[in-house]
Amino acid sequence: SPEFAKANYEERSFLPNISGLPKSVKVAVISAKEDNIVPPSLQRDVVSSLEKQGNAVKLIEVDDSHGVPESKFYQEGMQFVI
């Protein structure tokens, strides 16, 4: 049913549940600037919500579309969170 699908989505979606993430957790968000599957605006909303909550967060933007970015972006993210 549509109600079940909506409840299921909200239960698993990151933004509605962001308050459950401890403030001590650092987050690196890797966002493709031309992503048509996970829009960059959604990634920026995640970053903004994390910042408002008090988490340390870094947005790493990639000049690409949806897919797996080069390893250097993962390395940058890992250096931030460690």
Side-chain angles (χ1 to χ4, degrees):
S1 75
E3 293 81 23
F4 177 77
K6 182 179 180 190
N8 221 3
Y9 174 80
E10 287 177 0
E11 179 181 317
R12 293 184 172 106
S13 181
F14 188 71
L15 278 173
N17 297 297
I18 212 162
S19 63
L21 187 68
K23 291 177 178 62
S24 60
V25 174
K26 293 180 175 182
V27 180
V29 176
I30 302 173
S31 177
K33 292 180 181 179
E34 299 169 29
D35 197 329
N36 59 0
I37 306 297
V38 182
S41 60
L42 176 62
Q43 305 294 352
R44 288 190 297 274
D45 288 347
V46 167
V47 169
S48 177
S49 294
L50 287 165
E51 289 174 336
K52 286 178 186 171
Q53 178 169 288
N55 291 84
V57 61
K58 180 174 188 170
L59 176 62
I60 302 166
E61 294 185 297
V62 179
D63 290 322
D64 208 346
S65 59
H66 189 80
V68 178
E70 295 178 51
S71 62
K72 67 181 180 181
F73 297 108
Y74 291 101
Q75 291 171 334
E76 182 180 346
M78 289 300 293
Q79 287 174 348
F80 173 75
V81 299
I82 293 178

